[in-house]
């Protein structure tokens, strides 16, 4: 079997949380282009439905939308059950939903800290657990969690201690699950993007001064494009990555190396 065959996702069943926009939608599009059937999972049902239709029309793959609060344990269990029932299985789970609040630590309300922890870290555990239970029964599967270069550095100049802490947690959680499940056929890896130029980021007026600084500090002199995560997403979902587990793929344009 050649490398292109091993990179093909034909016949694979995948869900992507936070898949209605931004990095999640970009990675989901690539997964469908590579042949996978998909579930776009998002708390915004309208956006999820629109994204699913757009990707299905463009690729000809089966793409469904599931409105889910990924911080709710029961909702997550039901989501995985729905993916299995409607797509006919679950081979790959992309746990990508997340958020960031740029609030100085000394001013952050505890409820805001908990919001970030709940979505960025607790939901990754809940989704990995629910997907993992299904995959362990079938003896195979791949889980890909979105961490961040912020799991490796403390970003500047913006204050984002809650985001950094949760992404570090995602990295350690994923590596721990990888070791627990390695001999039972389930692989767990992380993608750690650097600063990415999503539509939401580029169109935010209050981020423009920060973007100029980020680009000035980047060895490549720019932010990444969402499509520049598509290759690693397809690789980790495919059989080509069969020897990869507990690994973190830092895609940051060299930012953390300076």
């Amino acid at each position: 079997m050649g490398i292109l065959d091993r990179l093909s996702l034909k016949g694979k069943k995948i869900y992507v949380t936070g898949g209605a926009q931004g990095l999640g939608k970009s990675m989901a599009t690539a997964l469908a282009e590579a042949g996978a059937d998909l579930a776009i999972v998002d708390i915004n049902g309208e956006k999820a439905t629109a994204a699913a239709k757009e990707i299905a029309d463009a690729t000809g793959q089966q793409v469904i939308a599931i409105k889910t609060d990924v911080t709710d344990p029961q909702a997550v269990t039901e989501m995985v059950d729905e993916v299995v029932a409607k797509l006919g299985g679950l081979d790959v789970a992309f746990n990508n939903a997340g958020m960031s609040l740029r609030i100085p630590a000394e001013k952050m309300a505890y409820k805001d800290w908990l919001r970030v922890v709940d979505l960025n870290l607790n939901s990754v555990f809940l989704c990995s657990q629910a997907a993992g239970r299904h995959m362990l029964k079938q003896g195979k599967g791949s889980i890909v969690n979105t961490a961040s270069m912020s799991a490796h550095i403390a970003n500047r100049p913006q204050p984002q201690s809650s985001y950094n802490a949760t992404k570090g947690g995602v990295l350690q959680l994923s590596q721990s699950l990888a070791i627990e499940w390695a001999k039972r056929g389930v692989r767990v890896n992380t993608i750690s993007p650097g600063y990415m130029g999503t539509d939401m980021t580029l169109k935010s007026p209050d981020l423009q001064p920060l973007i100029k600084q980020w680009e000035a500090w980047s060895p490549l002199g720019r932010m990444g494009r969402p499509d520049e995560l598509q290759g690693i997403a397809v690789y980790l979902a495919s059989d080509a990555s069969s020897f990869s587990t507990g690994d973190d793929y830092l895609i940051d344009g060299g930012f953390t190396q300076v």
Side-chain angles (χ1 to χ4, degrees):
M1 182 181 291
I3 183 61
L4 294 182
D5 294 318
R6 285 183 282 134
L7 282 168
S8 171
L9 301 182
K10 185 176 181 180
K12 291 193 181 293
K13 317 298 181 181
I14 303 175
Y15 77 68
V16 182
T17 70
Q21 62 185 348
L23 300 184
K25 182 181 177 183
S26 179
M27 290 189 288
T29 300
L31 299 171
E33 288 175 346
D37 293 327
L38 290 178
I40 302 297
V41 179
D42 204 280
I43 197 167
N44 189 318
E46 291 184 3
K47 284 187 176 182
T49 298
K53 184 180 186 306
E54 179 183 336
I55 295 171
D57 289 346
T59 64
Q61 295 301 123
Q62 181 183 6
V63 187
I64 64 173
I66 303 177
K67 180 181 178 179
T68 304
D69 178 355
V70 291
T71 68
D72 181 332
Q74 183 62 34
V76 168
T77 297
E78 292 173 357
M79 177 271 289
V80 170
D81 289 344
E82 186 174 351
V83 170
V84 173
K86 291 185 175 180
L87 295 185
L90 176 61
D91 302 294
V92 184
F94 272 78
N95 301 316
N96 169 75
M99 67 180 295
S100 178
L101 295 177
R102 296 183 301 278
I103 302 174
E106 74 276 14
K107 297 179 180 180
M108 174 168 274
Y110 187 52
K111 64 180 179 61
D112 290 328
W113 170 270
L114 290 180
R115 281 177 59 206
V116 178
V117 171
D118 214 19
L119 183 58
N120 288 10
L121 181 56
N122 292 345
S123 77
V124 173
F125 170 73
L126 293 173
C127 291
S128 296
Q129 182 186 55
R133 284 170 173 162
H134 175 79
M135 294 174 180
L136 290 167
K137 289 179 182 177
Q138 66 189 15
K140 62 178 180 178
S142 173
I143 296 174
V144 185
N145 296 325
T146 300
S148 171
M149 72 172 181
S150 303
H152 300 268
I153 63 170
N155 300 65
R156 59 190 175 99
Q158 70 277 17
Q160 56 178 56
S161 59
S162 57
Y163 182 85
N164 297 352
T166 55
K167 290 304 183 177
V170 168
L171 188 60
Q172 283 295 326
L173 170 63
S174 302
Q175 291 174 345
S176 298
L177 295 177
I179 297 305
E180 285 192 37
W181 295 341
K183 293 185 179 179
R184 300 170 68 187
V186 178
R187 301 185 293 110
V188 186
N189 294 287
T190 50
I191 297 174
S192 286
Y195 293 119
M196 307 301 292
T198 63
D199 286 343
M200 186 178 296
T201 298
L202 295 176
K203 293 177 181 178
S204 173
D206 64 327
L207 283 181
Q208 296 311 306
L210 290 176
I211 290 173
K212 291 179 181 179
Q213 288 186 295
W214 297 338
E215 291 181 334
W217 291 331
S218 169
L220 293 183
R222 64 176 177 86
M223 291 196 297
R225 301 188 310 271
D227 65 2
E228 289 176 308
L229 295 182
Q230 291 180 329
I232 192 63
V234 170
Y235 170 72
L236 289 175
S238 76
D239 295 338
S241 61
S242 56
F243 195 58
S244 179
T245 196
D247 295 320
D248 178 52
Y249 293 82
L250 193 57
I251 313 295
D252 68 347
F255 194 94
T256 58
Q257 305 305 311
V258 297

